[in-house]
Amino acid sequence: MANPRIPRPLFCGNWKLWGTLSDSVALATGVRDAVASLSAADVAVGPGFVALSTVAEKLKGSALGVASQDGYWEVKGAFTGEVAMAQIANAGATYAIVGHSERRQYFGETDETVARKAKAALAHGLIPIICIGETLAERDAGQALAVVARQLDGATKTLTDDELCKSVIAYEPVWAIGTGRVATPAQAQEIHASIRAQLTRRLQARAQQIRILYGGSVKPDNIADLMREKDIDGALVGGASLTVDSFAKIVKEGTSACTRS
Ligand code: PEP
């Protein structure tokens, strides 16, 4: 009999800018059916905003969650183009990805805006998936640990301890996102352990409950080795979450690799 892993693993797809409404419904319902028998992990899909409420409606009653890829802290007002965390929650999402490196790189996201988004997500009952990670230049300069520590602190210092305990952290080295160049399990574990240590300094034993996901070129053939690492509690998956087959394989291989027998 396998023992459940603590914390419970989470696998979340990030579809980025992808697909029509019907593509999104087909992918979401396909994933729902493919992982229906799996009870030892949480799984979510991350459609674009236009598809979010329709996908959430189709997934109602299933265990498959929905994540937004961003979200704004204000509830209403003169913020053309923004989508409020309140609207995302109302549309049926469970999670809100915040601070993805593509948003930091192309859309001016800063540690401060990420913090405001995480706080707002929690205020509206969403679980923020807070993304942090160094660039290749920062890694090559020996700054990976320092950059991740600074981003983690910046994004979480305004959260209460209880809010932080409900949050998910995603370590996504920028050089591994969409490049096919995955961090080795040892490279990822080194950073995950440092994140856990930083959380432990603030929260003591409660830090063990916080899920720290890895993201960056996760595929069916590399997830098991990553998930065997002590502080890797799941994955944020971009490209490989765009087909039912590869995402379902990641979820299944990843879950069985971290469930002790
Ligand atoms: C991501 O978008 O968060 C991501 C990790 O992308 P990919 O899996 O394609 O590297």
Side-chain angles (χ1 to χ4, degrees):
M1 179 64 178
N3 294 323
R5 160 102 157 218
I6 297 170
R8 187 176 159 80
L10 168 64
F11 298 90
C12 182
N14 172 16
W15 297 354
K16 312 195 190 196
L17 202 175
W18 176 87
T20 63
L21 189 54
S22 61
D23 292 335
S24 301
V25 169
L27 179 53
T29 53
V31 171
R32 175 197 63 196
D33 298 344
V35 302
S37 60
L38 192 127
S39 59
D42 292 328
V43 187
V45 291
F49 279 131
V50 172
L52 195 132
S53 70
T54 308
V55 164
E57 186 63 34
K58 297 278 178 198
L59 297 180
K60 238 184 209 160
S62 80
L64 184 61
V66 176
S68 69
Q69 300 173 20
D70 191 20
Y72 197 56
W73 54 83
E74 296 290 351
V75 173
K76 62 176 182 169
F79 304 104
T80 302
E82 290 298 331
V83 179
M85 291 295 181
Q87 293 174 307
I88 293 164
N90 181 250
T94 301
Y95 304 92
I97 298 168
V98 296
H100 191 281
S101 67
E102 288 152 16
R103 302 235 37 106
R104 293 179 191 256
Q105 199 177 342
Y106 306 128
F107 302 102
E109 199 81 86
T110 63
D111 290 344
E112 197 212 322
T113 58
V114 177
R116 294 185 79 170
K117 290 179 176 190
K119 188 94 185 161
L122 287 152
H124 295 285
L126 295 164
I127 299 171
I129 300 177
I130 301 168
C131 301
I132 54 179
E134 82 286 359
T135 62
L136 187 57
E138 288 163 339
R139 174 158 285 262
D140 288 346
Q143 294 167 352
L145 287 164
V147 168
V148 166
R150 190 202 70 223
Q151 291 180 343
L152 179 63
D153 182 57
T156 60
K157 66 183 171 203
T158 57
L159 304 184
T160 65
D161 288 357
D162 285 348
E163 286 174 334
L164 180 52
C165 285
K166 287 183 200 147
S167 304
V168 173
I169 309 298
Y171 168 57
E172 298 209 298
V174 178
W175 48 271
I177 297 180
T179 59
R181 183 179 161 193
V182 64
T184 64
Q187 281 174 322
Q189 170 57 25
E190 182 192 21
I191 303 282
H192 281 234
S194 75
I195 293 170
R196 185 87 64 202
Q198 189 170 339
L199 295 170
T200 302
R201 283 195 289 281
R202 175 165 163 188
L203 299 166
Q204 294 78 44
R206 293 176 81 195
Q208 296 301 322
Q209 311 160 18
I210 298 180
R211 293 183 284 198
I212 309 173
L213 313 186
Y214 169 79
S217 297
V218 168
K219 302 279 182 290
D221 63 1
N222 58 33
I223 186 66
D225 286 342
L226 289 159
M227 289 300 294
R228 284 191 197 100
E229 297 292 338
K230 179 170 164 285
D231 292 296
I232 300 182
D233 306 313
L236 185 55
V237 185
S241 71
L242 293 177
T243 69
V244 172
D245 185 53
S246 64
F247 190 52
K249 273 192 187 134
I250 287 170
V251 172
K252 288 176 188 168
E253 303 272 327
T255 305
S256 53
C258 71
T259 321
R260 296 182 310 256
S261 31

